[in-house]
Amino acid sequence: MYIDKAEQPGPAVTAIDLGGTAMKGSVWDRAGRELLRRDRPTPVAAGVLAIVAAVVDLHHELVSALHEQDPELSVQALGLICPGLVDPRGGIALYSANLGWRDLPLRELVSAALAMPVSLDHDVRSAGRAEAEFGAARGVSEALYVQIGTGIAATLIIGGEVLVGSRGRTGEIGHVPARPDGEPCACGQRGCTETYASAAAIARRYRSRTREPAGLGVEIDAGIDAEVVIARAAAGDDAARQVFDEAIQALAIALAGYTMLADPELIVLGGGLSRAGALLIDPLAAELTARLTWREPPRITIGAFAADAGRRGAAQAALRLLSPAWQ
């Protein structure tokens, strides 16, 4: 993955994938090996400043754990990624419906708090780079990487390079309307793809359909997640099947539009929902094929790094802050 200088003591980096539900952190050496990891919930309800403070705290926790494990290594940079709209050049988190911020100078805030260089990028672009360079999209000239978790976003990989766009806003497939008159989305639109097909939406929509008939507002299995809904759908649960079918339809509508415009050879699925494997890929491939009546659909596969692709890409970016040779 990187030039192997692991025999020599040297700098390490932290990588933090800041999501709408959880923050996933890890420490990497300059040989590109993950040394340790720590995860914690994202304190979304506490507000933007609490989220920034939690990022700083997680970094310190990672550094402390590293010092206990290997005192020879010192952390010298952080690779930070987040969802929504991100300006990586300016270090600005422009907008995130799930995290509740606009025009936040996130790189500056975190870098000042840590007194070290910080790279900032979009979580899905970072994951797409990892898959393009080392994973499922390696060697593929045209690919679409789609990450399905709390929200849904994508990145186009063209000639092995990730497409950023004129304003760094490519890949917002989660906010492509699948049903123009559908359910309201946190972004302010209606019927967005992620309102039906994200892992959070699948769980939420299933719970809303399985309330106690007495009308007391008590939900059955309030802690249920999307993977459980998919498993129940496969086992014949009618409510789960209806919710999952609607999710597949919404996602296929968005993917069909992307396919018509960009003609990818391969669609790579990542994020937490990708752990469903064939239970997700098989019906999605069938629905996409049905919507592309006059042309062959792109192949669909699961990413090599699942929910860890973004964290791997963030570490890559942090290492490049230290030296272009460490990559």
Side-chain angles (χ1 to χ4, degrees):
M1 179 176 176
Y2 306 103
I3 296 173
D4 189 354
K5 301 178 182 178
E7 297 301 321
Q8 308 171 22
V13 299
T14 53
I16 296 178
D17 181 352
L18 172 58
T21 302
M23 299 186 299
K24 298 180 289 187
S26 55
V27 178
W28 299 69
D29 67 14
R30 60 180 176 178
R33 299 179 303 189
E34 187 181 52
L35 304 178
L36 59 91
R37 60 172 58 189
R38 296 287 187 275
D39 298 348
R40 61 167 60 175
T42 304
V44 176
V48 172
L49 294 181
I51 295 173
V52 174
V55 168
V56 172
D57 288 346
L58 178 55
H59 168 85
H60 288 314
E61 182 181 335
L62 290 164
V63 171
S64 177
L66 176 66
H67 286 168
E68 292 181 7
Q69 179 175 304
D70 188 347
E72 294 288 325
L73 286 175
S74 63
V75 171
Q76 297 188 9
L78 164 64
L80 176 61
I81 58 175
C82 63
L85 301 178
V86 180
D87 172 9
R89 299 180 186 89
I92 308 297
L94 297 169
Y95 173 71
S96 172
N98 292 321
L99 293 171
W101 58 41
R102 285 183 182 271
D103 300 323
L104 181 70
L106 185 57
R107 184 176 66 196
E108 179 183 346
L109 291 171
V110 176
S111 180
L114 298 178
M116 69 170 52
V118 174
S119 68
L120 176 68
D121 206 347
H122 188 268
D123 55 354
V124 180
R125 279 200 298 267
S126 179
R129 286 192 182 96
E131 291 289 354
E133 294 190 32
F134 312 110
R138 186 175 185 178
V140 177
S141 61
E142 309 285 337
L144 177 67
Y145 175 80
V146 183
Q147 186 159 294
I148 310 173
T150 304
I152 301 176
T155 192
L156 273 171
I157 301 163
I158 301 176
E161 296 292 328
V162 169
L163 185 67
V164 177
S166 64
R167 299 183 180 180
R169 299 184 180 188
T170 58
E172 287 299 326
I173 192 172
H175 296 291
V176 172
R179 297 184 177 183
D181 297 321
E183 296 181 9
C185 178
C187 75
Q189 299 180 159
R190 300 191 72 90
C192 289
T193 299
E194 72 175 42
T195 306
Y196 294 88
S198 69
I202 289 171
R204 171 184 55 78
R205 299 185 77 240
Y206 177 72
R207 291 196 301 267
S208 73
R209 296 187 187 194
T210 53
R211 294 179 183 274
E212 295 285 356
L216 300 177
V218 178
E219 296 180 347
I220 300 172
D221 296 327
I224 198 170
D225 63 18
E227 290 180 69
V228 173
V229 177
I230 294 172
R232 290 187 179 185
D237 181 317
D238 288 340
R241 168 52 59 188
Q242 184 176 5
V243 167
F244 186 51
D245 284 350
E246 290 170 356
I248 291 295
Q249 290 165 10
L251 189 55
I253 289 170
L255 290 178
Y258 259 58
T259 298
M260 294 297 191
L261 288 172
D263 190 28
E265 172 187 345
L266 176 70
I267 295 174
V268 179
L269 301 183
L273 202 64
S274 68
R275 291 191 294 263
L279 291 177
L280 173 64
I281 284 182
D282 290 350
L284 179 59
E287 184 70 22
L288 181 59
T289 299
R291 292 181 178 278
L292 299 174
T293 56
W294 57 271
R295 54 155 292 164
E296 292 184 1
R299 183 167 58 92
I300 303 177
T301 190
I302 297 296
F305 307 121
D308 290 327
R311 186 160 29 184
R312 182 177 293 264
Q316 212 175 294
L319 286 165
R320 286 174 177 150
L321 283 178
L322 302 181
S323 170
W326 294 333
Q327 54 180 292

